Amino acid sequence: MNFDFRQQPIKISSAVLAVFLGLLIGAGFILCTGNNPITVYGFMFEGAFGSTASVASTLRWTTPLLYAGLAAAIAFRGGMFNFGIEGQLYVGAFSAAIAGVYFKGMPGVIHILLCFAAAMAAGCLWGVVPALIRVKLGGNEAIPAMMMNYVAMYLCDYLTQTFFLPEDTFGQTMATELIADHTKLPKIIPPYTVTYGFVIAVILVILAHFGLKYTKAGFQISMTGMNSEFSRYGGIDVNKIRFRAMLLSGMTAGLCGAVEVMGITWRYESGFSPDFGIEGILSSLLGGNEPFGLLLGALFMGAMKAGSLVVERSAEVPRALAEVIKAFIICFVSARYLSACMGLDRIADKVRSVICRQTKEGGGRAHDQ
Amino acid sequence: MKKRLLAVVLCVALAGMVTGCNGGAEGKTEEKEKVEQDGTKEPEGGAELSAAFVTVQPLGDPTIDLCYKGFTEAVEEFGFGKTTVVEAKAGEYEENFRALCEEGYGLIIANMPELQEAVGRVAPDYPDTKFMIALGEAKGDNVISTWNKEQYGTYITGVFAGLMTKTDKVAFLGGVDNDQLGRVGGGFVDGVKASNPDCKVEVMFVGDFSDPTKGKQMAQLLYDEGCDIIFQAAAQSGKGVFECAKEMGEGHNIIGIDVDQNGDLPGQVYGSFVTPYDKWVYEAMEEFAKGEFEGRVIYRSVKEGTTLKMAEDYVEIPKEVSDAVDEATEKIISGEIEPADTLK
Amino acid sequence: MINSFIITVLRLSAPILLCAIGSLFCDRAGVTNISLEGMMLISSFTAVLGSFITGSWLAGLLAAICASVLASLFFALITIRFGGAELVVGFTMNVLLDGLSVFLLRSIFKVSGSFVSEKIVKIPSFSVPLIKNIPVLGGLVTELNILVCAAYGSVFLAYFIFRKTHLGLQIIASGENPQAAATVGINVYKIRLLMLVITGGLCGMAGAQLSLGYLSMFTEGMTAGRGFIALVAVMFARGSAFRVLLVTMLFGAAEMLSNYLQLYQFSSYLILMIPYICVIALTIIQLIFERKKKIIK
């Protein structure tokens, strides 16, 4: 089985076409349920951008996707498949929660940083096994990483149940105590649930972009992902870089869990993540594994999530439809020749040459791509 | 390059929208509030009653269906005009409640303890919206919290099972190993020991409330081990237990959970541990409709009907057994017996 | 009692085995298809749908196979015709088909969570009359149904195809060196398409076995990671159909054994971890073995 993944850039025309086709197919499904696609998409848009509450909701759902997506992107750029993001964010969340509960008596900012550090360390640790399997043993890291997800979820539940269960919870969910007040991330638009975690995420994305493009370490990671043989020829220690990429990815995933715990739930709860790991991977794929593309991709997925919640409340369309549309879009995005086959490439080229001719005096052919 | 520009433009647009929408949204919610004010403040006088039903496990889960039954009955009886059902997944509870409050729902029914924390966070911000938690607790004058002390009812169930078993081996199959199932199981184990000290009780957990395949596997294992009665408390996974018992035929029996499952497999279901969730929801909605809503914590137990319902219509229940059950019930109600509330 | 153990292992391993053999065909032909989980789910749903509407389990089975083959064709379209990355499309299709099965469940039947109904007809099972009471042998012939037989039959079929037929040779050639194969005149695209269709059919049967064979209901997400276990089996098998059988049986047995452990008062969470830890451990052990072999060579 061939699990090599080569990083390939995405054209804007492909992305736009993919989104359009995906929405078209979605409209078809909506019609089948007997609803009007325009009204349903209208609800979705309103639910994502229509009011302060909606925008806050969109940002709130974008935040974990940014972290998880960044984790996925870093791994992909290094040529690794980090399917273990879900598990890494679980252990990260758990560690952050424990650090938040048990280190009382520390000043606010230090405590927050401690929680973050705990989460990053845990996520990093959880990425070691799959990384070693790939680097030292030459095996494929995707499936072991996936197995580690299940192990992580059960492990965190077991630890909570055995050591960290608070007194007299009548509850059903396995959860720890609430974290200390000053470790809760403050909200940007109170009383809505979007926190400064979003701001930190955007900063990290910007850092990642510049890191990948302009630093030596970033260059090494990118090259290893694009062509490992060439990188080895150029003197890069491919194994070390791959290992580092995976660990970095794990740290970011751990941070995802931490931000979710410290911003939204304020404790570790069993099953708190509605597949953030998978959605993060999808966001990254949507954005072509580039940090700024990820920003767009995560925003899009976050908006769709926020919108689909409203759609489920207002119309009778199940939110699963949003998943279907998202997945179709990503399939189409990956289909490189789709726009070519549809003749859009020629149209796009013509448009570009027209624009270039108009901006450059004296004409000339369009140099780009 | 293009992508970067697009990303920056989008962020600026978003920022602009936030500030712009802030002004616009305020106007919008104000308008909504005005329209809904009449509906939510004074329920009498023919103004519109509105209620939302929020759940974590989806409809189709027998427990939730029972709550929903109470909801729909009250809606019909008292004429609630605006209703909706919301299925909330992890991480979106608080958001959903806030959205419902802003959309002007007067009464929000929250089901199952996962939602109690979110209610606790949202209720203080919206004192005019009333909440009822169908199994959970949150502070507030506008919140009715209900707790179920399952262990008393399951003690009686255990007494029953201990006497009905012919192989002196019964089993408790829970969904997930948590506090609530600890109560359910703990009372059951005590009850069995009390009525039949020689009877062994096997305890297992499926690990998931919605994996009937695994439920069936485990039921198979338990029946093969010699258990002839399985007390299943595993929601959807429990349906696998029914499948297994159906396949294996007579001699393999079940005690149902939450709803009256006595008729689901006639003859093989000896009884069900019933919790009248529908009554609780109905009562709360009745209070709201009549304007008598009072925020408080209610503890429910055997007296209010959270107890064993024997399958008399389908199974021959010997007189000694039903007498023993009645005796146990009396002892529980009088407070003479205090069953364990955990399995440890 | 050991019979009952064997029976359950056989019936539960059948879906995984079917998917694994399908994936084996794809793998040998050079196609990396990780959308097994999604294909199983959509076919589980369609099987129940078909059985419910027509009252016949055969219609349900056929519907399941159709749905799964359609999904495979979509995969083929996007990857072969339009140049999509197989890993990306495969992974995304899992999400797509999972969402689709949930969407259809809620839109068509207006229920969520799971769908149970008396109208759903289960696949009938049969047993060989006398042998079934013999201790170990009996377990192998009791409570079988057509799909379980198909699963074990497919192992032999795969072995036969790869070892003894011209088609098998073409498949292996397409996988090992597609350019060389094309030079000799083998239509690699056609072979790969055929493999995908076969995988679709097998996954359809697997899904039907889950929802109509073992149970008679559909639950959202009922495959619970079995598609990925199938992938692991194929990875361990290194191309041999019999090794796929062996690994799948081991997984089935490990899962049942871990259920037994719960009877001994260990925390259920720790026990539920065991199958997954086993997979990781086995991966590591096998990789170390392979390395040693390479070094010796």
Side-chain angles (χ1 to χ4, degrees), chain C residues 12-268:
Chain C
L12 281 172
S13 309
I16 303 182
L17 189 59
L18 284 165
C19 279
I21 296 288
S23 185
L24 184 69
F25 277 115
C26 278
D27 182 41
R28 276 312 197 89
V31 181
T32 309
N33 181 0
I34 57 175
S35 63
L36 305 172
E37 180 92 356
M39 289 208 281
M40 254 209 287
L41 260 178
I42 194 74
S43 34
S44 295
F45 174 76
T46 0
V48 163
L49 181 68
S51 176
F52 178 81
I53 293 183
T54 61
S56 137
W57 59 267
L58 192 59
L61 178 60
L62 289 174
I65 295 181
C66 280
S68 186
V69 169
L70 269 170
S72 283
L73 288 175
F74 179 76
F75 180 83
L77 185 70
I78 300 285
T79 54
I80 299 181
R81 180 85 180 79
F82 289 134
E86 285 166 358
L87 284 170
V88 171
V89 180
F91 180 76
T92 313
M93 274 184 70
N94 283 327
V95 177
L96 201 164
L97 294 168
D98 179 22
L100 194 62
S101 65
V102 171
F103 174 76
L104 289 173
L105 174 71
R106 298 192 184 195
S107 313
I108 299 181
F109 291 116
K110 306 272 191 276
V111 291
S112 40
S114 69
F115 178 62
V116 191
S117 160
E118 266 108 45
K119 292 207 336 198
I120 303 175
V121 179
K122 219 172 133 174
I123 300 180
S125 47
F126 55 85
S127 317
V128 176
L130 291 171
I131 311 185
K132 73 177 192 175
N133 293 312
I134 307 179
V136 173
L137 217 56
L140 292 170
V141 295
T142 321
E143 293 282 336
L144 298 174
N145 66 30
I146 177 175
L147 291 179
V148 178
C149 296
Y152 295 96
S154 70
V155 179
F156 293 98
L157 193 65
Y159 176 78
F160 181 72
I161 290 183
F162 284 130
R163 283 298 186 92
K164 310 277 183 189
T165 66
H166 187 58
L167 175 67
L169 215 54
Q170 291 184 319
I171 298 173
I172 298 177
S174 305
E176 303 250 339
N177 197 335
Q179 284 96 345
T183 326
V184 192
I186 298 177
N187 189 343
V188 173
Y189 288 137
K190 207 169 84 167
I191 297 273
R192 287 186 172 166
L193 185 64
L194 183 65
M195 292 301 105
L196 280 172
V197 170
I198 292 182
T199 307
L202 289 171
C203 285
M205 290 200 270
Q209 163 65 2
L210 261 188
S211 63
L212 285 186
Y214 190 61
L215 299 170
S216 57
M217 61 167 77
F218 173 77
T219 306
E220 289 175 12
M222 75 189 298
T223 51
R226 294 191 169 88
F228 293 114
I229 307 264
L231 281 176
V232 179
V234 174
M235 276 165 31
F236 280 156
R238 297 286 181 208
S240 155
F242 282 113
R243 280 176 77 164
V244 169
L245 178 64
L246 185 65
V247 177
T248 314
M249 295 283 95
L250 277 173
F251 285 152
E255 200 183 332
M256 281 303 287
L257 281 173
S258 74
N259 287 343
Y260 268 104
L261 280 179
Q262 269 209 44
L263 290 174
Y264 293 100
Q265 303 296 326
F266 292 111
S267 163
S268 63

Side-chain angles (χ1 to χ4, degrees), chain A residues 57 169 172 264 267 313 319, chain B residues 95-96 117 178-180:
Chain A
S57 178
T169 42
Q172 275 190 340
I264 310 282
R267 65 165 95 210
R313 275 201 296 267
R319 74 176 66 182
Chain B
E95 203 177 295
N96 266 308
E117 179 145 341
N178 61 29
D179 270 0
Q180 187 196 28

